[in-house]
Amino acid sequence: MIEVILHLLYGLLLGAGGYMGYAKKGSLASFIGGASIGIFYLIASYLLYSGSVSVGRNVSLVTSIVLLVLGIVRFVTVQKKTLPIVFISMGVIMLLLQAYVRTRQGVKTK
């Protein structure tokens, strides 16, 4: 259940962050980026909750990789490093969660 809650919170946080970027700077790219990545985490949360665990984890894994790559690209291309570091951190945290859950799942099936 903690996995579902974490995905739900990340989805909402990213969506809110995208909206804040749009509201403060008028950045449509921030809104679209935050909303789309957030929606994918919300979809993963729903899938995990509804019992489609492997699909939900795969959606989360791909979304986390995309978030991490986008954070690295932003880190390299912008002068203010705060936001890209947040993206990188969130991507790494979610990838670590995926690695932990998948490792635990492998242990249980043996």
Side-chain angles (χ1 to χ4, degrees):
M1 190 61 151
I2 188 73
E3 190 178 7
V4 173
I5 293 169
L6 189 58
H7 283 84
L8 180 66
L9 291 175
Y10 265 40
L12 294 174
L13 181 65
L14 284 163
Y19 175 75
M20 285 175 51
Y22 178 73
K24 282 187 173 182
K25 304 278 185 180
S27 173
L28 190 58
S30 292
F31 179 70
I32 292 170
S36 60
I37 296 291
I39 286 170
F40 279 110
Y41 276 125
L42 292 174
I43 290 169
S45 178
Y46 172 76
L47 290 169
L48 290 167
Y49 181 75
S50 68
S52 300
V53 176
S54 65
V55 176
R57 287 182 179 155
N58 288 334
V59 169
S60 175
L61 180 64
V62 171
T63 305
S64 299
I65 291 170
V66 169
L67 183 61
L68 180 61
V69 169
L70 289 175
I72 291 170
V73 169
R74 293 281 297 171
F75 184 82
V76 171
T77 60
V78 298
Q79 301 227 340
K80 280 181 107 176
K81 303 294 185 191
T82 308
L83 195 57
I85 290 173
V86 171
F87 291 158
I88 292 168
S89 301
M90 290 176 76
V92 168
I93 288 169
M94 291 304 282
L95 285 173
L96 290 173
L97 173 69
Q98 288 299 314
Y100 173 76
V101 167
R102 289 169 190 264
T103 302
R104 294 293 297 163
Q105 180 183 15
V107 170
K108 287 181 181 175
T109 59
K110 290 183 178 179

